[in-house]
Amino acid sequence: PLVQASNEYGKASSREQVRQVYRLFDRLRERHPSVEFESCASGGGRIDFEILKRVERVWTSDSNDALERQFILRGASMVLPLQVLGSHIGPSPSHTTRRRHSMAFRGATALFGHLGIEADLLGFDERDLADVSRVVDVYKHYRDLLHGGDFVRLDVETGIDRVRGSSVFAHGVVSKDRRRAIVSIAQISTEESLAADHIRIVGLLPDEKYRVEFVPLSESQVSGTHIGPATKQPMWLTSSVAGDHVVLSG
């Protein structure tokens, strides 16, 4: 929102201010055609479709807390494509909330947007540097899919956080030909039950067979085990060095 959008006489003036912002960007673009510009978020109220004619991306929020960003992404992506949403890996603890999150969670959250790093790399230990490098490599590998596919939100039958709603956020990007997808499943609050529900990825070809793999974003995620219900159907898959996978229909 624009704060105090009036002039010294108390008259509304936000419309003219907005027009001048567009005019300024037009002049900057004319003088510097190769420069990438980013529009601010609430500080200037300048995330709209008209500004996207003039900038390469928008800063989604000053809060870089990955948990907060899960909610911010869910709302902002309703109207804006992922490739213009500034989405950065922040420090731990977060400079806005003081929460601590793993690099894997920060990386998985930032993947679904215009990824960057907004943390002092000189303060990272060897493990953090290795993990953030892994996240960047994963982003580069899947960038064509993340920025060229269809973003989908997945409904999860789960417990309800009394304050924030669903305790699990799931979303992903499906390629235009429906043969590839990358999905994030985030546990954002305590579940009422330890038993996770099945998640169906919308947008896939129903009769197609898909190779499902877990994408590790940190060294601690490289090895793991399959967890499944009594039906023997895998519900969750973690990868090992050998590259474990499962084949499922769309």
Side-chain angles (χ1 to χ4, degrees), residues 104-105 108 154 156 168-171 182-187 194-199 201 212-217 220-221 223-229 231-240 244-246 248:
F105 183 58
L154 309 176
V156 183
V168 175
F169 279 178
H171 53 257
I182 182 168
V183 175
S184 165
I185 303 170
Q187 186 78 43
L194 292 178
D197 190 43
H198 290 86
I199 297 175
I201 304 173
V212 182
E213 296 179 322
F214 183 79
V215 180
L217 295 179
S220 62
Q221 292 183 315
S223 62
T225 58
H226 298 174
I227 301 174
T231 59
K232 306 296 185 182
Q233 292 296 320
M235 294 174 60
W236 185 248
L237 182 70
T238 57
S239 179
S240 72
D244 290 343
H245 68 278
V246 65
L248 300 172

Side-chain angles (χ1 to χ4, degrees), residues 25 27-38 53-57:
F25 270 111
R27 291 177 63 185
L28 288 171
R29 177 63 64 201
E30 182 179 354
R31 295 184 182 185
H32 308 284
S34 62
V35 172
E36 288 192 1
F37 292 105
E38 178 182 86
K53 298 178 182 178
R54 298 165 168 86
V55 300
E56 276 67 37
R57 60 186 169 274

Side-chain angles (χ1 to χ4, degrees), residues 1-2 17-18 21-22 25 38-53 55 57-62 69 72-73 75-81 84-87:
L2 295 174
Q17 187 266 350
V18 171
V21 168
Y22 294 153
F25 270 111
E38 178 182 86
S39 180
C40 189
S42 297
R46 291 275 59 79
I47 291 185
D48 52 49
F49 293 133
E50 189 66 28
I51 202 69
L52 289 181
K53 298 178 182 178
V55 300
R57 60 186 169 274
V58 296
W59 182 228
T60 321
S61 172
D62 284 338
R69 280 300 184 113
I72 292 166
L73 169 68
S77 61
M78 290 284 188
V79 291
L80 296 174
V84 304
L85 296 177
S87 186

Side-chain angles (χ1 to χ4, degrees), residues 100-117:
R100 294 183 181 274
H101 297 301
S102 68
M103 181 63 71
F105 183 58
R106 284 178 281 160
T109 301
L111 276 178
F112 291 84
H114 193 294
L115 183 139
I117 301 171

